[in-house]
C-alpha cells in the first residue's frame, strides 16, 4: 500500500490520542507516518549531498565513501518499503535495522574521510598569516 496508509496519504487516526503529543510516541499510525516522512526527507537530502559531492574534487577515498553512502541509502529505503509491503516479516525488519547501522557507518566513514589533519591545518593557517 506504500506510499499510502490504508488507502490515504495520512493515517485516519493520526491525532486521536489526548494529549496530542502522545500521538508521536504511542499512536502507531502517526509513528509510521513520521518514520516514512523522515526516511523520505533524509534520503532526498543524501541524494543532494551525493550530487554536490560529485561536483567536487574529493579525494579518492572520500569519493568511494560517498558512493557507498548512496548505495546504502538506496538499499535502506528499498528494505523499508519492502518490509512494509510484506507486512513486516521479522527477517526483513531485522535487515532494515541492520541497514540503519550500515547507513550510519557509511556516513561516519564519509565524514571521517573529509577530516583535516590538525597539524596540516595549523601549518596552512600559519602560512596564510605570514602573507
Amino acid at each position: 500500500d506504500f506510499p499510502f496508509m490504508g488507502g490515504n496519504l495520512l493515517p485516519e487516526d493520526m491525532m486521536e490520542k489526548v494529549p496530542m503529543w502522545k500521538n508521536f510516541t504511542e499512536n502507531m499510525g502517526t509513528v509510521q507516518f513520521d518514520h516514512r516522512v523522515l526516511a523520505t526527507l533524509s534520503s532526498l537530502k543524501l541524494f543532494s549531498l551525493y550530487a554536490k559531492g560529485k561536483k567536487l574534487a574529493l579525494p579518492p577515498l572520500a569519493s568511494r565513501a560517498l558512493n557507498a553512502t548512496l548505495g546504502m541509502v538506496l538499499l535502506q529505503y528499498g528494505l523499508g518499503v519492502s518490509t512494509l509491503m510484506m507486512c513486516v516479516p521479522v527477517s526483513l525488519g531485522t535487515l532494515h535495522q541492520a541497514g540503519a547501522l550500515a547507513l550510519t557507518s557509511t556516513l561516519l566513514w564519509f565524514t571521517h574521510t573529509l577530516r583535516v589533519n590538525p597539524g596540516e591545518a595549523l601549518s596552512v593557517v600559519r602560512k596564510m598569516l605570514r602573507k
Side-chain angles (χ1 to χ4, degrees):
D1 200 18
F2 184 85
F4 299 103
M5 301 181 74
N8 301 313
L9 267 176
L10 301 174
E12 290 180 11
D13 64 343
M14 190 165 179
M15 292 296 172
E16 75 175 8
K17 293 206 180 276
V18 176
M20 190 174 75
W21 64 266
K22 284 189 173 190
N23 288 289
F24 297 99
T25 57
E26 298 176 14
N27 183 323
M28 293 302 288
T30 305
V31 170
Q32 183 56 238
F33 177 76
D34 292 345
H35 186 88
R36 291 177 184 202
V37 169
L38 182 62
T40 300
L41 293 176
S42 298
S43 296
L44 290 172
K45 186 64 179 174
L46 287 168
F47 290 144
S48 172
L49 173 74
Y50 179 82
K52 289 178 182 178
K54 283 302 173 182
K55 293 179 182 177
L56 301 174
L58 293 174
L61 189 58
S63 184
R64 200 171 313 136
L66 184 60
N67 290 338
T69 299
L70 178 68
M72 276 311 307
V73 168
L74 293 170
L75 180 63
Q76 180 66 352
Y77 200 88
L79 276 171
V81 172
S82 298
T83 301
L84 288 171
M85 297 300 283
M86 297 181 73
C87 299
V88 195
V90 173
S91 58
L92 275 180
T94 304
L95 276 174
H96 188 55
Q97 290 292 317
L101 177 62
L103 176 56
T104 302
S105 298
T106 57
L107 281 166
L108 285 171
W109 176 38
F110 175 64
T111 303
H112 181 74
T113 63
L114 300 176
R115 189 173 73 91
V116 176
N117 182 331
E120 289 177 31
L122 186 57
S123 69
V124 168
V125 169
R126 284 182 181 151
K127 286 178 186 177
M128 290 172 62
L129 291 174
R130 287 185 196 145
K131 291 183 178 182

